[in-house]
Amino acid sequence: MTDKKESMDPFRSETITEIKSSDDNQLSSYQQLMTRLEQFKNLSISTTESKKQVWLKFLSVWGEVLSISASDSPSCYAECGSLLEIMIKSIDFYTIRKDDHIARETFFWCINQLNQTHIKNYLLLTKDEQESEENKLYYKHVSYILLFVVQAESFFTFDSIQDQQHIEEYCELLTLFIDRIDKRMPEHASTVIEKDYKIGDINEVILTVIWSLSDRTVLIPMLLKCDLAKRAIGWLAQASMLAEKSRRSLISIIHNIARHDDGADELNKYDAVIIIKRYQNSKIETSDSRILVITMALALVSTPEQLKRDKKGMNSVFNQLLQLIMDASKTDRYRSDGLHVSEPLCILVKMFVVEERSLDYILYHAETEPPSDISSTIDLFVTIFIDFSHALKSTDRLEQFTLIAVLNILWSISFQYNYQQELIKNEKFLDKLRIFIENNDLENMIEQYKPRSMEGIHQATQGILHNLNLNDNEITGNNNISKHQNLSVNALPVNTMKKLNSKPWIMISYCHDNNEFCSEIYDLLSTCKDDFSIWIDRTHCQGAGDLWESIANGMEQSNVILCLLSEQYFQSKSCRQEFIYAVDSLKRTIVPVLIGNFDPKGWLGIRMTGMKYIRFRDIDQLEKNKKTELLNTIRLSVSSSKTTTQQNAVPSQHHSVPLVVNNGATSNSSSQPLLDDDTSNGNDVNSWFLSHRISPEIRKLFNFETREEMFDYAQLLIKDREKQMNIYAKIYSQRNHGNEMPPHEFLRFANALEKQLNDNTLSTTSTVLDSSKSTRSTTCTIS
């Protein structure tokens, strides 16, 4: 029986007669190569598998040619060079390159050839030296090898650790590429260059190779070792002098580097924001896709403060990003203008973490074609999530990254009450979350890089469920979802309280990026173990149970929560979830510790208003006086909070909101204070606004003096909320220098006021029915 592989081998059965060994002995090695090359002409190959086999055989023979210097066998170089275009067509290269095995074999074959000493020596030659008769033979071969590298890279994912380690063996070659580009830039030209400077065809392809490699985020640390960040910023600074073809890769390389946090940090060492803005303002790029890449790169290297200063510019970026996501979601490969949907999603993840108003703009105001609104935009993100949910068990790195990104976006959306309802009513979305929870199988997830603004799939899924107040039983069962819609926002599920021991508890909330600093603080607190016990995830979350439930338990039993605050903490949605639960729901005493020069802002800054904090500027050598101050602050906080914490102990049933202490009295009702039914003054009204976290700007819009004024307006608001929001949006803009009123802040106010009216109505009814019963509603309120 004929071997299957043998029957598919065109060299044996379809077109080529084997060379007899007796003939081999009569020919020189160069003549043998020439004969073997001749056999590749006029092939007739019928199957895809045959084409793949022929291509791999050709690479083998071509590699033998390239192992010889061009001066030793110019005829072999010439003959092989003439075959290249023929081979591309005969084996249908642009189709078979999509095969994973072919892409991988082609890529590493090409890199290996380029790494040969005599070819590297050619790449080091000056332009004049390369044009000598002898060296011209290399030109065609090197050009095609580089072309094949680019084509193979498009379908080679570098998923395996082995492949990542293998490419690192070629760092010297990649550094040579980068040096070569650097020497061809205008600043090294022998004459003064003003514009349309061309760096040369081979160099343009080398830039494309670097562009393609940098598109694999997992390779960025290796490319940073090759000094790519510094060189790329230098190239971009000269972009206005380059011809379009010679500069087209530059901003994409910068963008790809910036997609990795280490890359963005490295770029900012060399004034990336200034240079990108200068490039942006030069307006030498006219295509929408190129302009979008510039703005995406700028967003990735900018701080939240820098982005906020350019509100008008960022609105335009948001419009383009959402349009790109919409367009890409309609294609088979989720690409538009050469960009994968994961790229704009990644930008939005960062923006939604650091600036809540960006989420409002995307959902309320973004200008797209066709026009979008809250429901359609949230449905778009949910659809992408559903489309990529299979990636949980796939081995495709890009698909898994897209799943992680869109889950983080949905997590950000779930933090806002007025957006939660869109998620809760989407049964397909909840069904997919149910599957994730039931399977809870992340073994097939590829270990890969995530930006610091993203959390993993498990954390994001659990975070969404907790924000929607759907525990595992509720989401996997047949419970009626609508009954959960009035539950407290941002509350982690409350678990059975562990019995408090005789000593008070201190919980440490921190970001794992600050592990070393946390260890220093933990060691400091450990010197006072006779005074209090310490709860930290390192020692209390070692089991197989739900991490979020363990953390919630730790918070519930703690008297004081020590929060180690940094930029990384601020950008972590997990840390955000912890802080909000501790402050808004549990009303725990917080001791904030600021790390370095971090200044709280956004969601964190507004909740820290009035809190006394300790700042450690030198995180390598903790200041002695600051350590003493921290311990004294904790002891004082423990003393004042111990009784309050015990009063606020939370029963585990029905996700109850913890009892709170208002003005020294324990309340057995909702977590937010209700206005008194009989008397109300300006102070009561102010307290109400503060307790519901309504912004001062919204408070000033209404300036209510009494309870009656609030309830009268609440009735108007219930009749036509949209009209009222439009009216006060104009007033807000006039009073705040043209800035738009954040919709989520108005809706937070409207929801709280409407509920306040309902609670007081229920309270009055209860009093009439039974004056001996409590007049306060125990319905959970919006925090």
Side-chain angles (χ1 to χ4, degrees):
M1 183 175 177
T2 304
D3 183 87
K4 184 177 181 181
K5 291 185 178 179
E6 182 178 315
S7 67
M8 294 195 308
D9 188 342
F11 289 91
R12 291 185 178 274
S13 61
E14 291 193 68
T15 57
I16 299 174
T17 305
E18 290 188 47
I19 301 172
K20 296 180 180 179
S21 59
S22 59
D23 294 333
D24 291 345
N25 295 331
Q26 297 172 6
L27 298 173
S28 70
S29 59
Y30 297 158
Q31 288 174 324
Q32 291 177 36
L33 273 176
M34 290 290 288
T35 302
R36 291 165 67 190
L37 288 170
E38 283 286 337
Q39 293 177 343
F40 287 98
K41 293 182 179 179
N42 303 316
L43 293 177
S44 177
I45 312 170
S46 60
T47 67
T48 300
E49 284 302 315
S50 296
K51 292 174 181 178
K52 293 176 184 177
Q53 292 294 325
V54 170
W55 173 245
L56 295 177
K57 281 186 175 291
F58 175 73
L59 290 182
S60 178
V61 177
W62 188 12
E64 291 184 48
V65 172
L66 294 174
S67 67
I68 309 166
S69 69
S71 59
D72 289 342
S73 183
S75 58
C76 286
Y77 269 75
E79 179 68 18
C80 190
S82 67
L83 274 174
L84 293 172
E85 191 63 35
I86 295 172
M87 290 302 301
I88 289 175
K89 293 179 180 178
S90 64
I91 55 93
D92 195 10
F93 174 75
Y94 293 104
T95 297
I96 68 169
R97 67 179 174 143
K98 299 177 184 179
D99 179 89
D100 291 341
H101 176 68
I102 293 296
R104 185 185 185 281
E105 291 297 313
T106 301
F107 175 83
F108 280 116
W109 180 91
C110 291
I111 292 294
N112 192 51
Q113 303 311 312
L114 292 168
N115 201 45
Q116 294 197 68
T117 301
H118 59 285
I119 294 182
K120 286 196 291 187
N121 288 338
Y122 168 78
L123 292 171
L124 291 171
L125 297 176
T126 65
K127 184 177 180 181
D128 292 338
E129 290 171 335
Q130 287 178 353
E131 292 177 352
S132 69
E133 204 60 40
E134 176 186 330
N135 290 323
K136 278 184 178 179
L137 289 169
Y138 284 108
Y139 179 84
K140 190 170 189 177
H141 289 269
V142 171
S143 297
Y144 270 97
I145 292 172
L146 289 168
L147 171 66
F148 293 143
V149 169
V150 173
Q151 296 300 322
E153 277 180 321
S154 300
F155 296 92
F156 179 34
T157 59
F158 294 95
D159 284 342
S160 73
I161 298 297
Q162 181 183 1
D163 286 339
Q164 294 168 28
Q165 293 173 341
H166 194 176
I167 189 62
E168 288 189 12
E169 296 173 7
Y170 296 94
C171 277
E172 183 181 340
L173 175 65
L174 296 175
T175 301
L176 184 153
F177 284 170
I178 294 168
D179 288 341
R180 179 184 168 100
I181 298 299
D182 212 48
K183 291 175 182 176
R184 298 304 194 274
M185 282 290 151
E187 65 180 357
H188 295 292
S190 56
T191 59
V192 176
I193 305 298
E194 292 184 359
K195 64 176 182 177
D196 294 332
Y197 178 79
K198 298 178 180 178
I199 64 174
D201 293 340
I202 283 185
N203 297 311
E204 286 163 0
V205 183
I206 288 176
L207 267 179
T208 307
V209 170
I210 296 172
W211 175 9
S212 298
L213 281 173
S214 66
D215 191 45
R216 303 291 184 262
T217 308
V218 71
L219 300 181
I220 291 300
M222 178 201 68
L223 293 172
L224 294 179
K225 294 177 184 177
C226 300
D227 208 22
L228 180 60
K230 180 180 180 180
R231 301 295 185 87
I233 284 293
W235 303 339
L236 192 68
Q238 304 170 66
S240 61
M241 294 181 278
L242 295 173
E244 192 278 333
K245 189 176 181 181
S246 294
R247 71 168 183 268
R248 64 182 178 181
S249 303
L250 299 184
I251 190 61
S252 293
I253 292 172
I254 297 288
H255 169 240
N256 287 341
I257 295 172
R259 285 159 56 192
H260 195 293
D261 290 328
D262 291 347
D265 293 341
E266 189 70 16
L267 288 170
N268 279 321
K269 293 179 182 179
Y270 309 107
D271 299 323
V273 172
I274 295 172
I275 292 173
I276 295 173
K277 281 189 174 181
R278 191 181 300 154
Y279 178 58
Q280 184 182 49
N281 293 335
S282 70
K283 301 190 183 301
I284 56 177
E285 299 293 356
T286 56
S287 71
D288 290 343
S289 60
R290 305 303 300 157
I291 293 172
L292 179 58
V293 173
I294 296 171
T295 53
M296 289 168 68
L298 189 59
L300 287 170
V301 298
S302 298
T303 64
E305 289 71 23
Q306 289 170 324
L307 292 171
K308 288 177 186 177
R309 295 189 200 113
D310 186 19
K311 179 181 177 183
K312 184 177 180 181
M314 285 311 301
N315 287 349
S316 175
V317 173
F318 288 137
N319 293 340
Q320 295 177 69
L321 290 174
L322 185 56
Q323 187 70 59
L324 176 59
I325 293 170
M326 292 169 62
D327 294 342
S329 66
K330 297 173 184 176
T331 66
D332 292 339
R333 296 185 64 205
Y334 273 85
R335 290 184 180 273
S336 179
D337 284 331
L339 296 170
H340 189 264
V341 70
S342 62
E343 296 179 66
L345 289 175
C346 183
I347 303 289
L348 291 187
V349 170
K350 175 181 178 180
M351 295 306 301
F352 291 170
V353 168
V354 302
E355 176 52 63
E356 287 183 332
R357 295 187 182 186
S358 61
L359 176 58
D360 292 328
Y361 184 87
I362 284 288
L363 297 182
Y364 275 96
H365 304 295
E367 299 173 5
T368 59
E369 185 58 44
S372 57
D373 56 22
I374 297 175
S375 295
S376 65
T377 304
I378 292 179
D379 283 345
L380 171 66
F381 293 132
V382 169
T383 299
I384 295 173
F385 162 66
I386 292 172
D387 288 349
F388 282 88
S389 59
H390 69 277
L392 188 65
K393 293 190 176 182
S394 79
T395 56
D396 188 300
R397 185 179 300 275
L398 186 60
E399 288 188 349
Q400 290 191 352
F401 183 81
T402 306
L403 177 61
I404 293 170
V406 75
L407 263 175
N408 275 266
I409 285 176
L410 292 167
W411 191 3
S412 291
I413 291 172
S414 74
F415 274 101
Q416 300 295 342
Y417 171 77
N418 44 303
Y419 305 146
Q420 286 180 344
Q421 308 310 305
E422 294 291 335
L423 297 176
I424 289 175
K425 71 183 183 183
N426 193 312
E427 294 183 5
K428 287 185 178 180
F429 173 64
L430 297 181
D431 284 344
K432 284 296 179 183
L433 289 181
R434 173 180 55 79
I435 292 172
F436 274 33
I437 293 300
E438 286 179 345
N439 292 337
N440 198 23
D441 178 15
L442 301 181
E443 290 183 3
N444 293 323
M445 287 295 294
I446 300 171
E447 280 295 325
Q448 62 174 303
Y449 165 78
K450 300 190 303 293
R452 63 175 68 104
S453 57
M454 288 189 193
E455 301 286 359
I457 287 180
H458 181 70
Q459 295 95 322
T461 302
Q462 290 289 347
I464 293 170
L465 295 181
H466 291 316
N467 280 349
L468 299 182
N469 278 274
L470 302 174
N471 64 20
D472 292 0
N473 292 329
E474 290 163 343
I475 197 165
T476 58
N478 297 316
N479 295 355
N480 186 352
I481 296 297
S482 62
K483 72 180 181 180
H484 302 292
Q485 293 181 359
N486 289 325
L487 291 175
S488 172
V489 173
N490 299 338
L492 295 167
V494 180
N495 305 288
T496 304
M497 279 286 291
K498 291 182 179 179
K499 184 179 181 180
L500 292 173
N501 61 19
S502 57
K503 292 187 293 184
W505 282 83
I506 308 296
M507 177 185 181
I508 303 178
S509 173
Y510 69 106
C511 176
H512 284 255
D513 286 346
N514 306 127
N515 260 330
E516 292 185 10
F517 179 80
C518 179
S519 296
E520 293 280 347
I521 297 299
Y522 178 80
D523 291 343
L524 173 65
L525 298 186
S526 297
T527 63
C528 303
K529 283 188 175 180
D530 291 339
D531 298 329
F532 46 73
S533 299
I534 305 170
W535 195 103
I536 189 170
D537 59 358
R538 300 174 186 177
T539 56
H540 288 75
C541 295
Q542 302 302 314
D546 187 341
L547 174 63
W548 285 105
E549 292 188 7
S550 298
I551 292 174
N553 235 352
M555 289 183 168
E556 291 155 15
Q557 76 176 38
S558 296
N559 301 75
V560 172
I561 299 177
L562 181 67
C563 297
L564 311 184
L565 307 179
S566 64
E567 185 65 35
Q568 292 83 3
Y569 190 102
F570 172 65
Q571 291 190 22
S572 166
K573 281 189 282 293
S574 291
C575 294
R576 176 181 179 178
Q577 193 110 24
E578 291 179 25
F579 196 92
I580 288 176
Y581 184 51
V583 174
D584 296 356
S585 296
L586 294 181
K587 312 295 182 185
R588 284 295 181 265
T589 299
I590 304 295
V591 176
V593 173
L594 304 189
I595 302 175
N597 295 318
F598 172 69
D599 289 319
K601 47 194 173 285
W603 64 265
L604 181 58
I606 194 170
R607 288 176 173 83
M608 275 190 61
T609 302
M611 290 186 184
K612 183 184 184 306
Y613 62 84
I614 297 95
R615 182 187 295 277
F616 286 90
R617 293 194 183 276
D618 187 352
I619 61 175
D620 295 322
Q621 186 67 40
L622 303 189
E623 305 98 308
K624 183 177 180 180
N625 63 321
K626 290 295 182 181
K627 292 196 288 186
T628 302
E629 181 184 356
L630 175 59
L631 291 177
N632 288 339
T633 301
I634 289 175
R635 289 190 180 100
L636 182 62
S637 300
V638 166
S639 176
S640 62
S641 68
K642 189 173 182 181
T643 302
T644 300
T645 303
Q646 292 171 344
Q647 288 177 326
N648 290 353
V650 187
S652 61
Q653 294 87 354
H654 310 302
H655 287 208
S656 302
V657 177
L659 306 180
V660 297
V661 176
N662 296 317
N663 300 323
T666 303
S667 169
N668 288 317
S669 58
S670 87
S671 62
Q672 306 294 352
L674 297 171
L675 292 169
D676 190 278
D677 289 337
D678 300 318
T679 62
S680 178
N681 56 37
N683 289 335
D684 294 329
V685 173
N686 282 331
S687 297
W688 184 88
F689 273 86
L690 288 171
S691 67
H692 287 83
R693 297 187 291 107
I694 312 298
S695 71
E697 290 80 5
I698 298 293
R699 168 73 178 100
K700 291 175 184 177
L701 284 181
F702 298 95
N703 198 28
F704 298 123
E705 292 293 336
T706 64
R707 169 181 63 85
E708 288 76 12
E709 288 182 9
M710 288 183 65
F711 290 169
D712 287 344
Y713 179 71
Q715 294 175 17
L716 287 176
L717 190 62
I718 291 172
K719 290 179 181 179
D720 195 338
R721 180 181 290 194
E722 184 176 356
K723 178 181 178 181
Q724 293 300 315
M725 187 164 73
N726 291 336
I727 290 172
Y728 282 96
K730 294 177 182 178
I731 299 173
Y732 183 97
S733 180
Q734 292 170 357
R735 293 184 179 181
N736 292 276
H737 311 291
N739 292 326
E740 295 178 353
M741 179 176 69
H744 77 273
E745 291 188 6
F746 181 87
L747 290 173
R748 179 185 296 160
F749 158 72
N751 291 328
L753 185 57
E754 183 176 335
K755 186 180 187 308
Q756 181 70 71
L757 179 64
N758 292 336
D759 284 347
N760 276 267
T761 301
L762 289 171
S763 175
T764 302
T765 303
S766 297
T767 302
V768 173
L769 293 175
D770 188 350
S771 60
S772 65
K773 295 183 179 180
S774 171
T775 62
R776 302 297 175 90
S777 168
T778 58
T779 305
C780 296
T781 60
I782 305 304
S783 59

